[in-house]
């Protein structure tokens, strides 16, 4: 009994997904204001200073969607509580923003809440390099040609899946 092409493709995609997931670094979701959410009268500078933000992390805002919103602005918009030239805006009440670049981000509430402290600025740092193993660090120039050219496990899984499924 042969496997239909659609099942073969689904199996291949499943293996690809598993392989990709095994090499993924987990991101942190930083909930602005923690259990107090995105509301007036909270010191978001203090909140931000107690977090480390890395590229790939999320910053999320929780608030009453009928009362507040979130705008990503530049430093001038942040300092003056203006949304002119905003590069992003959200209004669902449960907003997730991907921090995809190492830079300073500025967020404000555009419904007037900014004037009551509803603004936050966060510095996003690049991901640190992967840790070197103790052996690799001490003997980095003695690595054999075979181990230097060995594909990672995820690639082997993809090759085997492709061969088995005839793709």
């Amino acid at each position: 009994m042969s496997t239909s092409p659609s099942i073969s493709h689904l199996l291949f995609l499943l293996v690809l997904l598993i392989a990709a997931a095994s090499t993924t670094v987990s991101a942190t979701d930083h909930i602005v204001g923690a259990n107090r959410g995105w509301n007036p009268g909270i010191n978001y500078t203090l909140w931000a200073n107690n977090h480390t933000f890395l590229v790939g992390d999320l910053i999320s805002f929780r608030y009453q969607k009928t009362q507040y919103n979130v705008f990503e602005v530049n430093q001038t918009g942040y300092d003056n509580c203006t949304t002119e030239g905003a590069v992003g805006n959200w209004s669902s009440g449960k907003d997730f923003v991907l921090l995809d670049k190492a830079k300073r981000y500025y967020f404000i509430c555009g419904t007037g809440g900014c004037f009551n402290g509803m603004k936050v600025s966060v510095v996003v740092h690049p991901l640190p390099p992967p840790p070197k193993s103790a052996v690799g660090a001490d003997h980095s120039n003695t690595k054999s040609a075979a181990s230097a050219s060995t594909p990672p496990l995820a690639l082997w899984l993809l090759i085997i899946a492709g061969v088995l499924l005839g793709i």
Side-chain angles (χ1 to χ4, degrees):
M1 186 166 147
S2 67
T3 306
S4 71
S6 62
I7 293 175
S8 296
H9 286 99
L10 288 175
L11 288 172
F12 180 73
L13 289 175
L14 179 63
V15 170
L16 179 65
L17 186 63
I18 291 169
S22 68
T23 60
T24 305
V25 176
S26 68
T28 300
D29 178 16
H30 302 275
I31 302 171
V32 176
N35 62 347
R36 297 178 69 192
W38 184 236
N39 288 294
I42 298 171
N43 186 339
Y44 293 109
T45 301
L46 181 62
W47 173 85
N49 288 340
N50 286 312
H51 289 79
T52 301
F53 301 89
L54 298 174
V55 170
D57 283 355
L58 296 168
I59 186 168
S60 60
F61 297 83
R62 313 283 169 85
Y63 56 91
Q64 289 289 326
K65 68 181 181 177
T66 57
Q67 294 181 341
Y68 307 117
N69 58 22
V70 179
F71 280 83
E72 182 183 346
V73 296
N74 59 25
Q75 184 175 0
T76 302
Y78 180 83
D79 292 341
N80 298 317
C81 289
T82 59
T83 60
E84 187 175 324
V87 294
N89 64 71
W90 299 266
S91 58
S92 74
K94 192 173 183 182
D95 307 319
F96 297 87
V97 180
L98 175 64
L99 304 172
D100 61 351
K101 293 181 182 142
K103 67 174 194 173
R104 181 175 288 277
Y105 287 80
Y106 300 94
F107 299 98
I108 67 168
C109 175
T111 61
C114 181
F115 296 105
N116 292 317
M118 290 179 70
K119 61 185 194 175
V120 63
S121 170
V122 299
V123 176
V124 177
H125 303 280
L127 288 172
K132 295 180 181 179
S133 68
V135 173
D138 294 338
H139 306 306
S140 59
N141 61 351
T142 62
K143 202 177 217 183
S144 72
S147 66
S149 63
T150 303
L153 177 61
L155 182 57
W156 280 115
L157 290 172
L158 291 174
I159 292 168
I160 293 168
V163 169
L164 291 174
L165 297 174
I167 297 174

